[in-house]
Amino acid sequence: MSCAFTALLVLMLGLAPSSWAYQEIEVTNGGSISGRAILDGPMPQPRVYHLVLFPNLDICAEVETDDEMNRVLYDFIVDENRGMRDVVVTLEHVDAGKPFRPKPINILSENCKFYPDVNVIRQGETFFVDNQDAVMHNSQVYQKERGKIILNIPIPAEEISEGKVHFQKHYKIFQMICGMHEFMQTWGYRVQNPYFFKTGADGTFKIENIPPGEYTVNAWHYLMKVRTQKIKIGPNEDVKIDFHFDGDEIERPFYETIKSGRIKKDARLPGTIH
């Protein structure tokens, strides 16, 4: 009898996690949250990569390249009111609510650049990479919190490839980088429910049709610490919240900010050939 009871208990425990999965339901009297992601303090410097040190210069120099043949990565894009683009705002621990989006995740690879810079993804969700370049890219997906490769994706020239990300444990962040072109980068943030919003050019967000209740709201930028607020939403209520990010948090390694020099005869910067 005890053995049978133990077996039943093990079976119940094994099945329990599936009962906790997000449930899609019809939401009545749902509320919303809206606001802005704002960058305070100084504007962090962009990252620069010397294109002459990488293959396929003719293709890679077509976009975001300065007059010294540097690919420039502007990680912090804001409008005139300091609203931040590409901040992912999410609600945590929503057990049931509106349906997930129906569309798949599509990443464009063109001129040695991944578009978009930031993606929102579910555990085990398939994404597609459409390579418009006439050259192959070979990308690795890193679980950013541990720096561990969780997926390798060969991306043949002018073909569509697909990948599927399985995060370990509770980790949420991935970074996909081309092994041939280090400046080709795109990021992903894991969600467990459809209550999320990626900010546009003005930094504004709005998440709607939220079941009334108390929630934790997170705001994430791929180079910043997560901002968190607790909220309570009543029926048909719109809760206003803003998230502030501090540019002083960003400390760039010197090699990421050198504008040329390693290939110029008159270079006089530390870390260059002179």
Side-chain angles (χ1 to χ4, degrees):
M1 178 68 71
S2 61
C3 291
F5 177 77
T6 301
L8 178 61
L9 180 61
V10 170
L11 178 61
M12 291 175 64
L13 290 174
L15 294 176
S18 64
S19 65
W20 299 336
Y22 178 79
Q23 300 293 316
E24 296 183 356
I25 63 171
E26 182 177 351
V27 178
T28 57
N29 299 317
S32 62
I33 61 171
S34 59
R36 286 202 311 146
I38 302 164
L39 180 65
D40 297 324
M43 173 65 70
Q45 289 180 278
R47 290 179 288 165
V48 296
Y49 293 84
H50 307 294
L51 290 181
V52 294
L53 302 179
F54 299 90
N56 313 118
L57 177 62
D58 55 336
I59 296 175
C60 299
E62 290 295 320
V63 298
E64 297 184 355
T65 302
D66 65 14
D67 57 4
E68 294 181 309
M69 297 305 292
N70 296 309
R71 171 65 69 87
V72 183
L73 301 189
Y74 295 98
D75 299 305
F76 295 87
I77 300 176
V78 302
D79 71 353
E80 62 275 11
N81 296 313
R82 304 282 286 190
M84 285 180 66
R85 195 182 81 177
D86 287 335
V87 173
V88 178
V89 180
T90 60
L91 263 66
E92 296 293 315
H93 309 302
V94 184
D95 296 324
K98 65 182 182 181
F100 269 94
R101 56 158 185 253
K103 296 181 180 180
I105 295 172
N106 293 303
I107 298 172
L108 175 65
S109 172
E110 186 174 22
N111 296 320
C112 302
K113 180 176 173 61
F114 290 132
Y115 303 86
D117 295 320
V118 174
N119 307 274
V120 182
I121 192 167
R122 301 167 67 180
Q123 175 77 306
E125 185 173 8
T126 299
F127 64 92
F128 299 90
V129 182
D130 182 1
N131 185 12
Q132 296 290 312
D133 292 334
V135 298
M136 178 176 181
H137 299 295
N138 186 23
S139 295
Q140 294 80 43
V141 178
Y142 293 84
Q143 188 169 265
K144 188 59 178 175
E145 294 95 331
R146 296 187 62 190
K148 181 179 180 179
I149 295 177
I150 55 177
L151 183 65
N152 285 287
I153 310 178
I155 305 176
E158 300 177 334
E159 291 188 17
I160 297 176
S161 305
E162 67 177 74
K164 184 178 292 186
V165 173
H166 292 280
F167 292 89
Q168 296 180 347
K169 299 182 179 179
H170 59 280
Y171 299 119
K172 295 182 177 181
I173 303 169
F174 82 67
Q175 182 183 23
M176 186 168 77
I177 306 176
C178 177
M180 299 171 61
H181 309 96
E182 184 183 353
F183 44 84
M184 289 185 67
Q185 303 179 10
T186 186
W187 297 76
Y189 190 75
R190 173 186 176 184
V191 296
Q192 294 178 308
N193 62 69
Y195 292 99
F196 60 83
F197 195 102
K198 186 177 74 170
T199 61
D202 61 357
T204 61
F205 64 88
K206 185 167 187 177
I207 302 176
E208 300 178 293
N209 208 17
I210 304 170
E214 297 183 8
Y215 300 99
T216 297
V217 187
N218 294 328
W220 170 82
H221 181 278
Y222 57 89
L223 293 180
M224 306 285 274
K225 294 180 181 178
V226 173
R227 269 50 178 175
T228 300
Q229 293 191 42
K230 301 283 188 179
I231 63 167
K232 183 176 181 179
I233 300 177
N236 303 307
E237 181 182 10
D238 181 31
V239 177
K240 303 290 187 182
I241 55 174
D242 291 337
F243 290 96
H244 290 263
F245 294 83
D246 187 354
D248 278 322
E249 288 185 16
I250 301 298
E251 295 184 6
R252 298 291 200 202
F254 185 71
Y255 69 86
E256 287 189 351
T257 60
I258 299 174
K259 290 202 68 177
S260 192
R262 276 184 275 185
I263 60 166
K264 293 178 66 175
K265 293 181 179 179
D266 59 347
R268 292 294 185 271
L269 292 174
T272 67
I273 59 174
H274 292 289

